[in-house]
Amino acid sequence: MATPADRDRLRRWRDAWMTALPRARAADPAAIAAQGALFVPDAALMESAPPAGRYRCRVFKLGGAGSAMRDFTAYPAFDCVIRDEGSVRSFYKETGSQRPVGLLFPDGDRTIFLGTLLLGEERAALQYGQDRDRDMAGMLERVGERRWRLVLPYPRFESLLDVIELVPAE
């Protein structure tokens, strides 16, 4: 079950987009335009859940949180995996200095992500709900034929909105 703070984040997902996207677009309009549907808030397509498997994930941070943060940051692709865990699936970003890990829950036409953040060289994730600063909540949405995004509104660090693009690793 989502914590009260994460339920609030999920309710305010559109506010995060509407605040962060114009700031990111002002910082790098060409980069935002080049990603097409990835940065269109209402671009989600039906059947949001990606199949289990290996993915290449690119992280984008939109709307800097704090005066030292940029309003648009794009990272190179990292390794991610989605696994079947019985009635739900798990998502794990395997490489990078900030690695979301958590469970994916079907919710009608969308998929909800509830997880936590691994930092640096940590090998084990904190249990969800144990550390408010590490808890993450978002929505996994399909935005193309073989393209998904994990939208994380109001993460605790660096940005107002994180968007993680997932494409199958081949």
Side-chain angles (χ1 to χ4, degrees), residues 133-150:
D133 287 336
R134 298 283 192 98
D135 288 346
M136 302 186 90
M139 293 172 290
L140 185 60
E141 305 169 324
R142 187 168 63 91
V143 293
E145 181 63 30
R146 293 169 40 91
R147 189 182 193 201
W148 292 264
R149 68 181 178 198
L150 177 56

mmCIF file of all heavy atoms in Angstrom, residues 133-150:
data_model
loop_
_atom_site.group_PDB
_atom_site.id
_atom_site.type_symbol
_atom_site.label_atom_id
_atom_site.label_comp_id
_atom_site.label_asym_id
_atom_site.label_seq_id
_atom_site.Cartn_x
_atom_site.Cartn_y
_atom_site.Cartn_z
ATOM 1 N N ASP A 133 12.590 9.787 2.464
ATOM 2 C CA ASP A 133 13.451 10.394 1.455
ATOM 3 C C ASP A 133 13.846 9.420 0.351
ATOM 4 O O ASP A 133 14.264 9.844 -0.720
ATOM 5 C CB ASP A 133 14.711 10.972 2.090
ATOM 6 C CG ASP A 133 14.419 12.245 2.861
ATOM 7 O OD1 ASP A 133 13.410 12.915 2.556
ATOM 8 O OD2 ASP A 133 15.206 12.570 3.777
ATOM 9 N N ARG A 134 13.742 8.138 0.606
ATOM 10 C CA ARG A 134 14.096 7.138 -0.407
ATOM 11 C C ARG A 134 12.873 6.571 -1.128
ATOM 12 O O ARG A 134 13.001 5.968 -2.185
ATOM 13 C CB ARG A 134 14.853 5.979 0.225
ATOM 14 C CG ARG A 134 16.167 6.358 0.865
ATOM 15 C CD ARG A 134 17.262 6.565 -0.197
ATOM 16 N NE ARG A 134 18.548 6.653 0.443
ATOM 17 C CZ ARG A 134 19.386 5.639 0.535
ATOM 18 N NH1 ARG A 134 19.121 4.483 -0.002
ATOM 19 N NH2 ARG A 134 20.532 5.801 1.164
ATOM 20 N N ASP A 135 11.678 6.714 -0.539
ATOM 21 C CA ASP A 135 10.477 6.184 -1.184
ATOM 22 C C ASP A 135 10.229 6.875 -2.517
ATOM 23 O O ASP A 135 10.467 8.074 -2.669
ATOM 24 C CB ASP A 135 9.246 6.386 -0.291
ATOM 25 C CG ASP A 135 9.226 5.469 0.918
ATOM 26 O OD1 ASP A 135 10.005 4.506 0.949
ATOM 27 O OD2 ASP A 135 8.416 5.722 1.824
ATOM 28 N N MET A 136 9.744 6.089 -3.479
ATOM 29 C CA MET A 136 9.432 6.615 -4.806
ATOM 30 C C MET A 136 8.077 6.066 -5.229
ATOM 31 O O MET A 136 7.733 4.928 -4.905
ATOM 32 C CB MET A 136 10.491 6.188 -5.816
ATOM 33 C CG MET A 136 11.900 6.625 -5.465
ATOM 34 S SD MET A 136 13.068 6.248 -6.783
ATOM 35 C CE MET A 136 12.924 7.774 -7.701
ATOM 36 N N ALA A 137 7.334 6.893 -5.950
ATOM 37 C CA ALA A 137 6.042 6.473 -6.498
ATOM 38 C C ALA A 137 5.909 7.074 -7.880
ATOM 39 O O ALA A 137 6.324 8.213 -8.122
ATOM 40 C CB ALA A 137 4.903 6.943 -5.598
ATOM 41 N N GLY A 138 5.327 6.312 -8.789
ATOM 42 C CA GLY A 138 5.157 6.822 -10.132
ATOM 43 C C GLY A 138 4.243 5.947 -10.958
ATOM 44 O O GLY A 138 3.616 5.013 -10.446
ATOM 45 N N MET A 139 4.203 6.272 -12.239
ATOM 46 C CA MET A 139 3.348 5.549 -13.180
ATOM 47 C C MET A 139 4.195 5.089 -14.355
ATOM 48 O O MET A 139 4.967 5.870 -14.912
ATOM 49 C CB MET A 139 2.229 6.455 -13.677
ATOM 50 C CG MET A 139 1.251 6.826 -12.577
ATOM 51 S SD MET A 139 0.067 8.068 -13.099
ATOM 52 C CE MET A 139 1.120 9.492 -13.233
ATOM 53 N N LEU A 140 4.019 3.832 -14.710
ATOM 54 C CA LEU A 140 4.676 3.264 -15.875
ATOM 55 C C LEU A 140 3.673 3.267 -17.013
ATOM 56 O O LEU A 140 2.574 2.735 -16.867
ATOM 57 C CB LEU A 140 5.156 1.850 -15.570
ATOM 58 C CG LEU A 140 5.961 1.157 -16.647
ATOM 59 C CD1 LEU A 140 7.231 1.912 -16.989
ATOM 60 C CD2 LEU A 140 6.294 -0.256 -16.201
ATOM 61 N N GLU A 141 4.048 3.910 -18.128
ATOM 62 C CA GLU A 141 3.120 4.110 -19.245
ATOM 63 C C GLU A 141 3.802 3.745 -20.553
ATOM 64 O O GLU A 141 4.987 4.010 -20.733
ATOM 65 C CB GLU A 141 2.693 5.575 -19.320
ATOM 66 C CG GLU A 141 2.093 6.100 -18.034
ATOM 67 C CD GLU A 141 1.919 7.608 -18.033
ATOM 68 O OE1 GLU A 141 2.770 8.328 -18.608
ATOM 69 O OE2 GLU A 141 0.923 8.055 -17.447
ATOM 70 N N ARG A 142 3.047 3.191 -21.473
ATOM 71 C CA ARG A 142 3.558 2.928 -22.811
ATOM 72 C C ARG A 142 3.364 4.199 -23.643
ATOM 73 O O ARG A 142 2.294 4.789 -23.640
ATOM 74 C CB ARG A 142 2.807 1.761 -23.460
ATOM 75 C CG ARG A 142 3.402 1.337 -24.793
ATOM 76 C CD ARG A 142 2.828 0.011 -25.260
ATOM 77 N NE ARG A 142 1.398 0.091 -25.507
ATOM 78 C CZ ARG A 142 0.844 0.389 -26.685
ATOM 79 N NH1 ARG A 142 1.614 0.660 -27.734
ATOM 80 N NH2 ARG A 142 -0.456 0.425 -26.820
ATOM 81 N N VAL A 143 4.427 4.613 -24.360
ATOM 82 C CA VAL A 143 4.357 5.818 -25.187
ATOM 83 C C VAL A 143 4.750 5.543 -26.639
ATOM 84 O O VAL A 143 4.856 6.471 -27.426
ATOM 85 C CB VAL A 143 5.209 6.978 -24.612
ATOM 86 C CG1 VAL A 143 4.639 7.474 -23.290
ATOM 87 C CG2 VAL A 143 6.669 6.572 -24.476
ATOM 88 N N GLY A 144 4.950 4.278 -26.973
ATOM 89 C CA GLY A 144 5.304 3.905 -28.332
ATOM 90 C C GLY A 144 5.193 2.408 -28.504
ATOM 91 O O GLY A 144 4.851 1.684 -27.565
ATOM 92 N N GLU A 145 5.516 1.945 -29.708
ATOM 93 C CA GLU A 145 5.394 0.517 -30.017
ATOM 94 C C GLU A 145 6.190 -0.338 -29.042
ATOM 95 O O GLU A 145 5.706 -1.316 -28.526
ATOM 96 C CB GLU A 145 5.848 0.259 -31.459
ATOM 97 C CG GLU A 145 5.743 -1.174 -31.887
ATOM 98 C CD GLU A 145 4.318 -1.701 -31.902
ATOM 99 O OE1 GLU A 145 3.383 -0.916 -32.138
ATOM 100 O OE2 GLU A 145 4.145 -2.918 -31.660
ATOM 101 N N ARG A 146 7.434 0.007 -28.797
ATOM 102 C CA ARG A 146 8.290 -0.713 -27.845
ATOM 103 C C ARG A 146 9.018 0.300 -26.981
ATOM 104 O O ARG A 146 10.237 0.242 -26.804
ATOM 105 C CB ARG A 146 9.276 -1.601 -28.613
ATOM 106 C CG ARG A 146 8.576 -2.741 -29.348
ATOM 107 C CD ARG A 146 9.455 -3.497 -30.332
ATOM 108 N NE ARG A 146 10.823 -3.762 -29.949
ATOM 109 C CZ ARG A 146 11.245 -4.848 -29.307
ATOM 110 N NH1 ARG A 146 10.395 -5.769 -28.953
ATOM 111 N NH2 ARG A 146 12.522 -5.004 -29.031
ATOM 112 N N ARG A 147 8.248 1.226 -26.430
ATOM 113 C CA ARG A 147 8.810 2.324 -25.643
ATOM 114 C C ARG A 147 7.869 2.642 -24.490
ATOM 115 O O ARG A 147 6.676 2.837 -24.697
ATOM 116 C CB ARG A 147 8.976 3.546 -26.537
ATOM 117 C CG ARG A 147 9.731 4.694 -25.929
ATOM 118 C CD ARG A 147 9.782 5.848 -26.913
ATOM 119 N NE ARG A 147 10.730 6.861 -26.524
ATOM 120 C CZ ARG A 147 10.696 8.114 -26.955
ATOM 121 N NH1 ARG A 147 9.766 8.489 -27.838
ATOM 122 N NH2 ARG A 147 11.578 8.985 -26.558
ATOM 123 N N TRP A 148 8.434 2.680 -23.287
ATOM 124 C CA TRP A 148 7.673 2.996 -22.088
ATOM 125 C C TRP A 148 8.382 4.108 -21.333
ATOM 126 O O TRP A 148 9.551 4.403 -21.570
ATOM 127 C CB TRP A 148 7.577 1.760 -21.174
ATOM 128 C CG TRP A 148 6.747 0.665 -21.726
ATOM 129 C CD1 TRP A 148 5.422 0.418 -21.464
ATOM 130 C CD2 TRP A 148 7.154 -0.368 -22.627
ATOM 131 N NE1 TRP A 148 4.994 -0.688 -22.157
ATOM 132 C CE2 TRP A 148 6.036 -1.185 -22.882
ATOM 133 C CE3 TRP A 148 8.353 -0.673 -23.268
ATOM 134 C CZ2 TRP A 148 6.088 -2.285 -23.721
ATOM 135 C CZ3 TRP A 148 8.410 -1.769 -24.112
ATOM 136 C CH2 TRP A 148 7.293 -2.557 -24.330
ATOM 137 N N ARG A 149 7.665 4.698 -20.406
ATOM 138 C CA ARG A 149 8.276 5.687 -19.514
ATOM 139 C C ARG A 149 7.776 5.428 -18.102
ATOM 140 O O ARG A 149 6.614 5.101 -17.879
ATOM 141 C CB ARG A 149 7.959 7.115 -19.949
ATOM 142 C CG ARG A 149 6.490 7.478 -19.787
ATOM 143 C CD ARG A 149 6.212 8.895 -20.256
ATOM 144 N NE ARG A 149 4.789 9.188 -20.141
ATOM 145 C CZ ARG A 149 4.190 10.182 -20.761
ATOM 146 N NH1 ARG A 149 4.885 10.981 -21.550
ATOM 147 N NH2 ARG A 149 2.899 10.377 -20.591
ATOM 148 N N LEU A 150 8.680 5.580 -17.172
ATOM 149 C CA LEU A 150 8.344 5.568 -15.754
ATOM 150 C C LEU A 150 8.412 7.016 -15.295
ATOM 151 O O LEU A 150 9.478 7.631 -15.341
ATOM 152 C CB LEU A 150 9.320 4.690 -14.972
ATOM 153 C CG LEU A 150 9.137 4.640 -13.461
ATOM 154 C CD1 LEU A 150 7.726 4.205 -13.073
ATOM 155 C CD2 LEU A 150 10.190 3.724 -12.840
#
